[in-house]
Amino acid sequence: MEYSMEQIDKYFDIFDYIVFAAMLIVSALIGVYFAFFAKVKQNTTSEYLMGGKSMGIFPISMSLIASYISGISILGIPAEMYTYGTQFWMIIASEGFVSLAMAYAYLPVFYQLQITSSYEYLNLRFNQTVRLLGSVLFLTKMLLYIPIVIYVPALAFSQVTGINLHLVTPVVCIVCIFYTTLGGLKAVVWTDTVQTVIMFGALIIIIFMGTASVGGFSELWSRNVAGDRIDFFNFDLDPTIRHTFWTVTIGNFFSWMASCSVNQAMVQRCLATPSLHSARITVAVLVIGIVALESMCSYMGLVIYAFYYKCDPVTRGAIHKSDQLLPYLVMQIAQTMPGLAGLFVSGVFSAALSSMSTGLNSMTGVIFEDLIKPRMKKPLTESHASFLMKVVVVIIGGTCVELVFVIEKMGAALIQASGSLGAITGGPLLGIFSLGMFFPQANSYGALAGGLISGALITWISIGTQMKMAQGLIRFPQKPVSVEGCNANWIAEYLSLTLSPDATPKPVQPPFALYRMSYMYYTALGTVTALTVGLLVSYLTGSNKGKKIHKDLISPAVYRFMRETSDIQVTGSADTSGKIELNTVT
């Protein structure tokens, strides 16, 4: 197969713009419906943040799937397969275990307490200071994550339309802020549902067309085998290898536990269902959907390699980095199907919008419940509280739009660093919550020390690693690429060129061992550090001797292992309202 090395000059046509505009209009109208036309208006705290706790399994499941698959995943996973091979695909092996742990160890605690913010738990189990630490960690993560989620698909949109991202980013974000502000959780959930359908539809069509364009599945697979892309079971135990079976399964287990089990976005949606049984079914559907989407994105990486296996677009300068591979492929195969490019960009932006709307709604819940409400001298009326939360959404949304342009100035280095961003906050938070739920002897001193030291450690490792990578002292072996199939305009000396970054000489003095550790282990290390430090400090400060801990604050998974002693007593159950008073640990 011969490829042109010229840039693709086909941009969006009228059908593409119609498809993309329709997605935005439908999203906005959903917000208008729940604000003005729904039977139950979004003018109370319960309705605005929790959907009245009456949401169905299907929309909540679709919302969670859309929330956890961002534009970064849709563009980044195919690029990962193309560049490094299929080992990362094995992250799906651990996600079933995460769903079981979440459904039976963590979720019952939140459901029994019926709290709006997951960080209320930290106040109930420890104290207000630990709660504040958890809230700040979550808000920091989301304020950095949301702009990246929007920036990445904006780049793809700019690539396939020629429209400057400075124009499209505010427009798309304003639509998201609009429906999130007006419609609350119900609008977010139902727009996420529509956007999930768009994501699935776009990926399925592109997969079938891409597979057909390379001659079918057999030809696709043989090309990837010949290109050394098929690599599922590397059982090397070396923790410094970027991706092995162990790093992606063990590392992803802790990463997903941190993202799902104690994350405000997840807890808020699960508690919006009418029963714990419904919440557990929701989690099961979520895992099935995530595995399907991740597998489709991974398969797209194989499609891309099979399409360009003899003429790498990055090497020949058609695109600048691997994250642009999927949009570049779509624009080539879209020439035979009007509207396909618009559907693809709608799918990428749907993933981004769902992540943004979920982030705005969950951040609003945390700010209102954890930062504003405890400091109000008089309780707010429901109408005033609803209005205040809408103002908070607008302020946060505007801040995120501003930060998108800061992200742009920082360039690709920050995008690459975003993979370890979640671990900086995720590991400490998972450790703190696990201390409270599984270890009755853990006290507030231990939780605070464990969270701070864990966060500092992962931050140090993450920043140090990025600095060493920028200096060229840490490199990851990539799979070979070729340009021997490019057309005759290609420069003669590059014909039959096969690039292998692994051939770069290794530094004489290797970086510090923790800098060379696979980033997939960051969350696991953060969690273990928080637990170890937390238990040690708790022991040194007297644990919880002589104190009573409410039974509902401990996970049912450890009931059988606990013994009531004269030092620590686990007592009681929630009252008929499902609530327990603050400062239960006395």
Side-chain angles (χ1 to χ4, degrees), residues 176-196:
C176 182
I177 295 169
F178 175 78
Y179 71 72
T180 305
T181 302
L182 287 182
L185 181 69
K186 285 187 177 179
V188 170
V189 166
W190 281 107
T191 50
D192 286 351
T193 301
V194 172
Q195 291 159 358
T196 301

Side-chain angles (χ1 to χ4, degrees), residues 491-556:
I491 301 174
E493 59 264 29
Y494 288 103
L495 287 175
S496 303
L497 175 67
T498 300
L499 303 179
S500 180
D502 195 30
T504 303
K506 299 294 188 298
V508 177
Q509 292 291 335
F512 181 61
L514 287 178
Y515 293 162
R516 291 182 284 119
M517 179 180 65
S518 171
Y519 74 95
M520 293 294 293
Y521 282 139
Y522 286 2
T523 303
L525 179 62
T527 303
V528 172
T529 300
L531 288 172
T532 303
V533 173
L535 290 173
L536 178 61
V537 172
S538 295
Y539 175 77
L540 295 176
T541 54
S543 298
N544 282 319
K545 292 180 180 180
K547 297 181 179 180
K548 295 181 179 180
I549 299 177
H550 204 288
K551 184 179 180 181
D552 291 343
L553 297 172
I554 305 298
S555 171

Side-chain angles (χ1 to χ4, degrees), residues 92 95 200 203 286-297:
I92 64 175
E95 286 168 4
F200 271 103
L203 286 174
L286 165 67
V287 170
I288 294 171
I290 291 296
V291 168
L293 273 173
E294 287 175 341
S295 295
M296 285 167 30
C297 291

Side-chain angles (χ1 to χ4, degrees), residues 36 44 46 62-63 87 116 149 291 296 366 373 399 449 507 511 518:
F36 301 110
T44 67
S46 176
M62 295 301 102
S63 175
Q87 185 62 76
T116 302
V149 163
V291 168
M296 285 167 30
V366 170
K373 193 174 177 180
T399 303
S518 171

Side-chain angles (χ1 to χ4, degrees), residues 166-225:
H166 291 172
L167 176 62
V168 67
T169 299
V171 172
V172 173
C173 289
I174 287 171
V175 172
C176 182
I177 295 169
F178 175 78
Y179 71 72
T180 305
T181 302
L182 287 182
L185 181 69
K186 285 187 177 179
V188 170
V189 166
W190 281 107
T191 50
D192 286 351
T193 301
V194 172
Q195 291 159 358
T196 301
V197 173
I198 294 173
M199 275 191 289
F200 271 103
L203 286 174
I204 289 171
I205 292 173
I206 294 168
I207 282 173
F208 276 103
M209 292 189 67
T211 302
S213 68
V214 300
F217 178 77
S218 297
E219 180 64 20
L220 177 147
W221 189 262
S222 64
R223 291 181 184 182
N224 277 275
V225 170

Side-chain angles (χ1 to χ4, degrees), residues 7-229:
Q7 294 279 2
I8 290 183
D9 56 6
K10 176 187 181 299
Y11 291 124
F12 262 28
D13 57 26
I14 185 64
F15 297 103
D16 298 316
Y17 283 111
I18 290 173
V19 171
F20 184 67
M23 183 270 292
L24 294 180
I25 292 171
V26 169
S27 298
L29 289 178
I30 291 174
V32 172
Y33 171 78
F34 282 107
F36 301 110
F37 300 103
K39 292 182 180 179
V40 180
K41 303 296 188 296
Q42 306 299 296
N43 53 10
T44 67
T45 302
S46 176
E47 283 293 333
Y48 194 80
L49 294 178
M50 309 299 291
K53 299 184 179 181
S54 59
M55 299 294 294
I57 293 173
F58 176 74
I60 289 291
S61 300
M62 295 301 102
S63 175
L64 286 170
I65 292 170
S67 302
Y68 283 101
I69 291 291
S70 67
I72 297 175
S73 301
I74 292 179
L75 298 178
I77 293 179
E80 168 69 30
M81 300 296 119
Y82 182 93
T83 307
Y84 297 103
T86 59
Q87 185 62 76
F88 186 73
W89 198 338
M90 293 307 295
I91 60 173
I92 64 175
S94 59
E95 286 168 4
F97 297 103
V98 173
S99 67
L100 290 174
M102 178 186 173
Y104 292 95
Y106 291 89
L107 193 56
V109 177
F110 293 117
Y111 213 93
Q112 183 65 33
L113 298 176
Q114 286 294 304
I115 51 183
T116 302
S117 166
S118 60
Y119 305 103
E120 289 181 61
Y121 170 83
L122 298 180
N123 193 18
L124 293 167
R125 177 64 176 83
F126 298 115
N127 59 27
Q128 181 65 32
T129 304
V130 179
R131 176 184 186 176
L132 182 61
L133 172 63
S135 301
V136 169
L137 286 173
F138 171 76
L139 293 173
T140 301
K141 172 187 176 181
M142 296 307 295
L143 277 174
L144 294 175
Y145 177 69
I146 291 176
I148 296 174
V149 163
I150 296 298
Y151 174 69
V152 172
L155 279 179
F157 185 87
S158 178
Q159 182 183 354
V160 300
T161 64
I163 298 177
N164 193 294
L165 65 86
H166 291 172
L167 176 62
V168 67
T169 299
V171 172
V172 173
C173 289
I174 287 171
V175 172
C176 182
I177 295 169
F178 175 78
Y179 71 72
T180 305
T181 302
L182 287 182
L185 181 69
K186 285 187 177 179
V188 170
V189 166
W190 281 107
T191 50
D192 286 351
T193 301
V194 172
Q195 291 159 358
T196 301
V197 173
I198 294 173
M199 275 191 289
F200 271 103
L203 286 174
I204 289 171
I205 292 173
I206 294 168
I207 282 173
F208 276 103
M209 292 189 67
T211 302
S213 68
V214 300
F217 178 77
S218 297
E219 180 64 20
L220 177 147
W221 189 262
S222 64
R223 291 181 184 182
N224 277 275
V225 170
D228 193 30
R229 259 57 186 180

